[in-house]
Amino acid sequence: MRFLSLAPDRPRRGGPRHLPSGSPAPPPPPPLLLLLLLGGCLGGSRRPNVVLVLADDQDEVLGGMTPLKKTKALIGEMGMTFSSAYVPSALCCPSRASILTGKYPHNHHVVNNTLEGNCSSKSWQKIQEPNTFPAILRSMCGYQTFFAGKYLNEYGAPDAGGLGHVPLGWSYWYALEKNSKYYNYTLSINGKARKHGENYSVDYLTDVLANVSLDFLDYKSNSEPFFMMISTPAPHSPWTAAPQYQNAFQNVFAPRNKNFNIHGTNKHWLIRQAKTPMTNSSIQFLDNAFRKRWQTLLSVDDLVEKLVKRLEFNGELNNTYIFYTSDNGYHTGQFSLPIDKRQLYEFDIKVPLLVRGPGIKPNQTSKMLVANIDLGPTILDIAGYSLNKTQMDGMSFLPILKGASNLTWRSDVLVEYQGEGRNVTDPTCPSLSPGVSQCFPDCVCEDAYNNTYACVRTMSELWNLQYCEFDDQEVFVEVYNLTADPHQLNNIAKSIDPELLGKMNYRLMMLQSCSGPTCRTPGVFDPGYRFDPRLMFSNHGSIRTRRFSKHLL
């Protein structure tokens, strides 16, 4: 593929370095002495570089990593693969906000993909953006910071400051206007709009991101470490593959696993409303979507290969950490829901996470429970900045990457979501409750304004549980033992030990009100956990269930 570079000529290795044409030079980073006086990052003269590649809607449970053979070889086999990586909200904007801030949604206040839900809003820009980990890397650690791709779903909206808004902390900014596209989109190039059309050789977004990233590696300053965040459109809809990959995986279909095309018995009302069995048209649609999603990922695989090769050619690979992950999972036919995310189940909240870098032994697999709120703390730890100086809820898993023994680690994470939709009846689906959204032609809806829930996802030596509460008229509870029931078929809320149920309810309340260090307190199955049953009961002696406010946050 031919690409029109941001710079007219690529310099020879070892030759003079300068910025690509049209890319204004950022202000120089603070000198090391000033950073030390300000309480900045510690470390030697060769502080590590960091690259974060973020896919969009890539699942882990349904084989989402299968097309990425090069990525698995170049990152996973050369480093560590996490088998228990989760997101605190299975939706793009809240999850991306959690990555950037290291916070749970109830602390960064991004609850869905709308401006009203705080997605790239003026409030987000004023309160949260100055405290993201890239902003800290830039201001306190002197890192060059580079962003390319999808930022937040409402980025570039007129009410959010338009494309002229460049968030604090980014030296180089190549951000997509609004949601994922592959052609016919607009980028903010350091605050200036650049439109792209539908010519594959110069416009296919995944390849454009690859090429501007390579340009950055060639033209950046060599005197300071760098952080790169590359956020691809794939495999998000509209699933437009590069021409050379449009015939790939012709014999691939969505997995027919145990929760495919079955009724969501004993689940909350939104799951129960799905029609079982699905129509033939819905099955054909989701199979086609599954196939196209994999096709789009082949270009992401190429992007990763190009990055690794360029880092190696430039002599920087051995001093660079490379992270690969996704903002949320996805489902295709599970519990008869055709395609989407937003649900509390493993297929939506579990994501790939692969990391390579200095001090990480090859071919490692970790079962430790990590979440995307841990990415910021981990990257700041790599840069030598103390998590205690932040307001982040996550933990640094750098000790896990480096093989620390006798490590005390968490046993649970919080998952929370506030549904999207208006409290009105959909005229095309009058039989359904008011407020449904993301509906298919056969009136199967993937979301609703009161699809609002919170869960504790617990993993320990003895237990592999998920406990969830809904803010709806039923005050519905779902509990799953994933050791015995990995496909989450059987809701055991009515049969589990009431004492354990009460402890999980209490732990959920604690996590929903946590902030910073209190989000890292011992879980129900940690030795240091303490339970006060008096907090669980109302004046009438019944188990108390924490209720959400109507706007949750």
Side-chain angles (χ1 to χ4, degrees):
M1 169 183 171
R2 185 176 64 85
F3 178 75
L4 298 181
S5 172
L6 293 177
D9 296 298
R10 203 178 287 281
R12 295 185 302 273
R13 187 184 180 198
R17 303 279 177 170
H18 55 86
L19 294 172
S21 125
S23 299
L32 182 59
L33 178 61
L34 178 58
L35 292 175
L36 293 174
L37 291 174
L38 292 173
C41 297
L42 303 176
S45 59
R46 293 198 73 232
R47 284 173 292 164
N49 311 305
V50 182
V51 176
L52 170 59
V53 180
L54 179 65
D56 194 349
D57 283 2
Q58 185 182 0
D59 66 276
E60 194 275 339
V61 171
L62 301 179
M65 283 300 297
T66 303
L68 294 168
K69 294 180 180 180
K70 300 172 186 176
T71 301
K72 288 188 289 185
L74 293 170
I75 303 180
E77 292 176 15
M78 298 303 294
M80 182 173 288
T81 298
F82 287 84
S83 60
S84 302
Y86 289 85
V87 296
S89 188
L91 190 64
C92 299
C93 204
S95 182
R96 289 163 183 268
S98 287
I99 291 172
L100 291 164
T101 63
K103 297 178 183 179
Y104 283 120
H106 69 264
N107 286 328
H108 61 58
H109 307 300
V110 178
V111 297
N112 55 41
N113 285 345
T114 66
L115 277 175
E116 294 77 13
N118 203 31
C119 180
S120 203
S121 69
K122 292 286 190 177
S123 174
W124 155 267
Q125 295 170 17
K126 179 180 179 180
I127 298 172
Q128 301 299 338
E129 281 186 342
N131 298 304
T132 63
F133 79 85
I136 296 172
L137 284 175
R138 180 68 193 150
S139 64
M140 302 304 296
C141 306
Y143 272 64
Q144 302 167 85
T145 53
F146 168 93
F147 182 88
K150 175 179 171 180
Y151 179 57
L152 302 178
N153 295 59
E154 288 296 326
Y155 173 75
D159 290 344
L163 293 173
H165 171 68
V166 177
L168 286 174
W170 296 103
S171 313
Y172 305 95
W173 182 252
Y174 303 86
L176 176 68
E177 181 182 31
K178 296 194 174 182
N179 208 355
S180 282
K181 290 185 176 181
Y182 298 81
Y183 294 110
N184 298 310
Y185 56 85
T186 302
L187 292 177
S188 170
I189 311 296
N190 297 312
K192 296 183 179 180
R194 178 182 293 174
K195 293 184 180 296
H196 281 261
E198 50 189 16
N199 180 348
Y200 170 70
S201 65
V202 293
D203 295 320
Y204 188 69
L205 182 56
T206 306
D207 292 351
V208 168
L209 300 182
N211 282 280
V212 296
S213 299
L214 298 180
D215 278 346
F216 168 75
L217 290 175
D218 283 346
Y219 292 96
K220 64 177 176 57
S221 166
N222 285 334
S223 62
E224 293 293 333
F226 62 84
F227 167 71
M228 303 177 70
M229 183 171 179
I230 305 159
S231 182
T232 73
H236 195 286
S237 62
W239 317 303
T240 308
Q244 67 270 30
Y245 296 135
Q246 288 177 359
N247 294 319
F249 307 120
Q250 288 304 304
N251 296 319
V252 168
F253 302 90
R256 267 53 171 175
N257 52 10
K258 290 185 178 180
N259 53 23
F260 179 84
N261 200 17
I262 67 167
H263 188 260
T265 306
N266 294 324
K267 290 177 169 49
H268 69 105
W269 72 268
L270 186 64
I271 305 300
R272 297 195 304 265
Q273 57 86 32
K275 296 177 175 61
T276 306
M278 290 184 287
T279 62
N280 290 336
S281 61
S282 287
I283 292 177
Q284 184 178 5
F285 177 78
L286 68 87
D287 276 336
N288 190 47
F290 188 90
R291 188 178 304 113
K292 287 184 174 181
R293 282 164 51 79
W294 276 21
Q295 292 169 355
T296 66
L297 284 169
L298 292 174
S299 292
V300 178
D301 211 28
D302 292 341
L303 179 153
V304 170
E305 181 185 41
K306 292 173 185 176
L307 279 171
V308 173
K309 285 185 174 180
R310 185 59 56 84
L311 286 165
E312 185 174 28
F313 180 79
N314 290 351
E316 295 172 316
L317 182 60
N318 291 336
N319 193 40
T320 301
Y321 287 87
I322 306 176
F323 293 71
Y324 183 92
T325 191
S326 173
D327 58 359
N328 49 255
Y330 209 70
H331 58 257
T332 48
Q334 283 60 48
F335 303 125
S336 298
L337 297 174
I339 57 163
D340 200 51
K341 51 266 189 176
R342 309 167 198 263
Q343 305 306 325
L344 58 90
Y345 308 104
E346 292 285 280
F347 42 75
D348 284 359
I349 64 173
K350 193 173 183 181
V351 293
L353 177 58
L354 292 71
V355 190
R356 69 172 288 173
I360 306 176
K361 295 180 179 179
N363 286 308
Q364 299 292 304
T365 299
S366 174
K367 297 181 180 179
M368 292 293 198
L369 180 62
V370 296
N372 70 9
I373 57 171
D374 301 329
L375 290 170
T378 302
I379 293 170
L380 290 176
D381 195 7
I382 289 170
Y385 191 81
S386 172
L387 174 61
N388 294 329
K389 298 175 184 176
T390 74
Q391 299 174 343
M392 294 182 176
D393 304 331
M395 304 169 64
S396 168
F397 55 80
L398 183 60
I400 297 175
L401 293 173
K402 294 199 169 183
S405 58
N406 300 320
L407 181 67
T408 300
W409 194 250
R410 67 156 68 91
S411 65
D412 59 23
V413 293
L414 174 68
V415 179
E416 52 190 350
Y417 178 64
Q418 176 177 317
E420 282 188 66
R422 294 178 297 117
N423 191 12
V424 296
T425 301
D426 187 334
T428 63
C429 300
S431 62
L432 294 177
S433 301
V436 292
S437 63
Q438 313 297 319
C439 297
F440 285 81
D442 51 3
C443 288
V444 174
C445 301
E446 298 273 2
D447 205 1
Y449 83 99
N450 64 345
N451 178 35
T452 298
Y453 59 80
C455 307
V456 180
R457 183 68 178 89
T458 292
M459 299 182 72
S460 68
E461 291 185 6
L462 298 177
W463 293 96
N464 186 5
L465 290 177
Q466 186 176 23
Y467 172 91
C468 301
E469 296 179 4
F470 282 82
D471 180 28
D472 55 22
Q473 291 181 343
E474 297 177 292
V475 194
F476 203 76
V477 175
E478 295 188 31
V479 183
Y480 298 98
N481 177 355
L482 283 98
T483 300
D485 179 24
H487 297 284
Q488 297 170 287
L489 304 176
N490 303 309
N491 179 6
I492 60 173
K494 295 182 179 179
S495 60
I496 197 170
D497 183 345
E499 181 179 353
L500 178 56
L501 198 69
K503 287 183 177 180
M504 295 299 290
N505 175 235
Y506 172 71
R507 180 60 178 162
L508 179 61
M509 288 191 293
M510 297 299 100
L511 284 175
Q512 282 187 279
S513 58
C514 77
S515 179
T518 60
C519 297
R520 307 189 289 272
T521 54
V524 170
F525 299 104
D526 289 335
Y529 176 77
R530 296 293 180 267
F531 172 54
D532 184 353
R534 294 172 298 178
L535 298 176
M536 297 302 303
F537 294 90
S538 68
N539 295 332
H540 302 288
S542 59
I543 288 182
R544 172 185 167 208
T545 302
R546 184 186 188 278
R547 299 302 303 275
F548 302 88
S549 70
K550 282 300 176 186
H551 298 287
L552 182 64
L553 305 173

